[in-house]
Amino acid sequence: MSRALPASALSAPPIRPPALAAAFALALGTLALGTVYGPRQGALLLLGGALGLVLYHAAFGFTSAWRVFILDGRGKGLRAQMVMLALAVLLFFPVLASGTLFGLPVKGSLAPLSTGVVFGAFIFGIGMQMGGGCASGTLFTAGGGNARMLVTLLFFIIGSVLGTLHFDWWLGLPALEPVSLVQSFGAGGGIALSLALFAAIAGLTVLVERQRHGALEQEAPSPRQGLSRFARGPWPVVAGAVALALLNFVTLALAGRPWGITSAFALWGAKGAALIGFDPASWAYWQTPANAKALSESVFADVTSVMDFGIIAGAMLAAGLAGRFAPSLRIPLRSLVAAVVGGLLLGYGARIAYGCNIGAYFSGIASGSLHGWLWMVAAFAGNVVGVRLRPFFFR
């Protein structure tokens, strides 16, 4: 005889004002963008909304996962990242090898193995722990109502602009040409090599965790089940990893390239700088054809900006459904200083390193770019330093 499900597993979650506002913004924005820029741009806003909802409900943080492993030897978050990357390369490599997806041209996120990648990723790693989040983490926690992360986001944008100002100087430093595992080993060979590396990293986290704790950390039981858990969270972190890999592949299909976040911050900051009298169009970074075009057009024509707006709205929707959207402006002074410094390091580091934890680490490795692996090593080292600095700014 089957047991009846509890009412919480079947009932729909209550709709709260923040959730209604976010859903309305996503619906209206999709309609407006679709009308002005075409259906694909509207779909990208919805895709960003889905990413924001997944990030919030799965609490999928790169920063916290690395900090917990560094401090406590717990590797659940890092193993989830390896699951995400493994699924991504299985989806991406065959498509990138063919060069088309559903008849449309696609390209991966490839970048040089440069001094800028090493230094930029290192200071980005410090910024992750000081600012309290990475690129995706800053967006979804800000959208979820964390007022401190709005400060981090503001200085993330300022740091990004400073990175574009100095970008040509970093280009002049020693660098090697981009290396693609897909081009070097083919889709099959690149997948095999990547999966072996992911397995090795996951295995290392298992060894460390068992050595320090005797057993692996188990997923905490959820207070909700069924539809209620899907709408209000929390989701298992592995479910978040799978969803992010699938949504990044959808990004590749819609945008023709993988998911990125921080180029939009540089664009927003450059437009703001122009409003107060600076001339970013004269800087070398903004004179490349693609960047010059983005600077001259509306931010709503920019794919990355539209997806970032969607992430913020999607996280607000998720927080509203979960009943956790409750911004507070009471930010301790030391925490505020850490947000400012961390944001500057995040922004500057992301620009000179050709991306952040999403554009360089996630999408770079998913694209088979060796710079993604270089970014990961340098950023992890930066996180080690950042974790040591946190006690000076946080209780």
Side-chain angles (χ1 to χ4, degrees):
M1 184 175 178
S2 61
R3 186 177 60 175
L5 291 172
S8 62
L10 298 173
S11 60
I15 305 300
R16 295 174 172 83
L20 286 173
F24 180 75
L26 284 169
L28 183 62
T30 299
L31 179 62
L33 288 169
T35 301
V36 177
Y37 298 104
R40 184 166 300 187
Q41 200 76 345
L44 287 165
L45 180 70
L46 283 181
L47 177 58
L51 286 163
L53 188 141
V54 170
L55 286 164
Y56 188 91
H57 275 340
F60 201 94
F62 293 79
T63 303
S64 58
W66 289 14
R67 180 170 65 248
V68 168
F69 183 72
I70 292 166
L71 284 177
D72 200 34
R74 291 292 190 186
K76 181 178 68 175
L78 261 174
R79 290 191 290 276
Q81 291 177 26
M82 295 305 108
V83 171
M84 177 188 72
L85 291 169
L87 179 55
V89 300
L90 288 169
L91 293 170
F92 274 62
F93 281 20
V95 170
L96 293 175
S98 70
T100 61
L101 178 58
F102 304 127
L104 298 174
V106 293
K107 62 180 181 179
S109 297
L110 301 178
L113 303 170
S114 67
T115 306
V117 169
V118 175
F119 183 76
F122 178 75
I123 65 171
F124 188 96
I126 299 174
M128 288 169 71
Q129 299 302 331
M130 296 281 287
C134 50
S136 55
T138 298
L139 283 180
F140 90 77
T141 50
N146 187 319
R148 179 185 179 276
M149 296 308 290
L150 291 174
V151 177
T152 299
L153 178 58
L154 172 62
F155 285 90
F156 203 141
I157 293 169
I158 293 171
S160 297
V161 177
L162 294 174
T164 66
L165 178 61
H166 302 151
F167 190 75
D168 55 335
W169 183 84
W170 286 100
L171 280 181
L173 297 181
L176 299 175
E177 292 297 315
V179 176
S180 166
L181 298 183
V182 178
Q183 296 172 3
S184 300
F185 301 100
I191 288 173
L193 178 58
S194 298
L195 292 181
L197 290 170
F198 302 147
I201 294 171
L204 176 62
T205 68
V206 169
L207 289 175
V208 170
E209 189 166 349
R210 283 180 172 165
Q211 183 178 34
R212 293 188 61 175
H213 300 280
L216 300 183
E217 182 182 10
Q218 300 300 309
E219 190 79 36
S222 173
R224 307 183 185 99
Q225 298 297 326
L227 176 62
S228 179
R229 185 176 188 184
F230 175 79
R232 301 175 62 190
W235 294 2
V237 67
V238 172
V242 171
L244 291 178
L246 294 174
L247 290 173
N248 199 350
F249 189 68
V250 176
T251 305
L252 183 68
L254 287 177
R257 49 89 171 151
W259 181 23
I261 288 180
T262 56
S263 65
F265 296 172
L267 178 62
W268 303 348
K271 286 183 175 291
L275 289 176
I276 60 175
F278 291 93
D279 184 24
S282 65
W283 305 345
Y285 179 90
W286 296 107
Q287 291 178 355
T288 64
N291 291 339
K293 183 174 183 292
L295 188 61
S296 67
E297 294 180 338
S298 165
V299 293
F300 296 107
D302 177 56
V303 166
T304 306
S305 294
V306 165
M307 290 187 66
D308 285 357
F309 297 148
I311 291 171
I312 294 171
M316 183 177 176
L317 172 63
L321 289 172
R324 296 174 62 187
F325 187 85
S328 172
L329 298 180
R330 298 180 62 182
I331 308 171
L333 179 59
R334 289 192 180 190
S335 179
L336 189 64
V337 171
V340 171
V341 175
L344 291 171
L345 292 174
L346 288 165
Y348 195 91
R351 271 312 83 221
I352 65 173
Y354 298 96
C356 58
N357 59 297
I358 299 300
Y361 173 41
F362 181 13
S363 292
I365 290 177
S367 301
S369 180
L370 205 56
H371 97 283
W373 289 99
L374 181 62
W375 191 99
M376 181 184 73
V377 173
F380 190 84
N383 272 264
V384 173
V385 175
V387 164
R388 301 293 180 252
L389 293 174
R390 279 180 64 87
F392 293 101
F393 298 94
F394 303 96
R395 292 183 178 179

